[in-house]
Amino acid sequence: MGVYDVTQANRLRWQRLAHEQVGRFLTDAPEHNLPAITWTVATTGAITGRVDGLGVTPEQQRTAFEAWAAYLNVTPTERDHRDGSVTLHAHFERGLGVGGALRADIAPPMTDEDGE
């Protein structure tokens, strides 16, 4: 099947499988003490889990990312940026062509005008 031979039925099937997998993640989360994160499913069926930084410290965001990475049994990569932010990223596969990525963009702690 070529790239232009993909049908809407294919896309819908891929999305359905991905949504079922996200449902399993959410079912398992309380048992594994995993925090809520943002899940997105693309038309290709790719799943993206994003660990948001709103309302948590950078350390809490990193801890949440590491908990999900351990649950997914993946080894993350870390990229430091010049502005002091860090991007954590990991790919995962769950079988039947279902997979995706886990991501966190961690900003440096905010400081006030006095540098504190």
Side-chain angles (χ1 to χ4, degrees):
M1 176 184 305
V3 79
Y4 297 106
D5 297 332
V6 174
T7 66
Q8 291 303 314
N10 293 127
R11 289 184 178 97
L12 292 170
R13 180 175 47 83
W14 298 333
Q15 283 187 315
R16 187 186 75 253
L17 291 170
H19 276 280
E20 289 171 2
Q21 184 61 63
V22 171
R24 283 191 283 281
F25 292 164
L26 297 175
T27 298
D28 288 351
E31 179 183 334
H32 294 273
N33 199 30
L34 297 168
I37 65 174
T38 300
W39 294 103
T40 306
V41 174
T43 59
T44 61
I47 302 167
T48 301
R50 180 173 291 279
V51 180
D52 298 315
L54 298 173
V56 298
T57 65
E59 293 80 21
Q60 291 168 322
Q61 190 179 6
R62 180 180 290 276
T63 298
F65 178 91
E66 290 171 351
W68 276 102
Y71 166 79
L72 294 168
N73 195 28
V74 294
T75 303
T77 60
E78 183 170 328
R79 182 174 179 205
D80 297 322
H81 303 283
R82 283 187 241 167
D83 66 357
S85 65
V86 175
T87 298
L88 303 175
H89 188 268
H91 289 281
F92 62 86
E93 293 292 329
R94 300 306 274 189
L96 297 173
V98 176
L102 180 64
R103 183 178 176 97
D105 294 306
I106 302 175
M110 302 273 295
T111 59
D112 60 22
E113 292 177 15
D114 297 327
E116 297 181 25

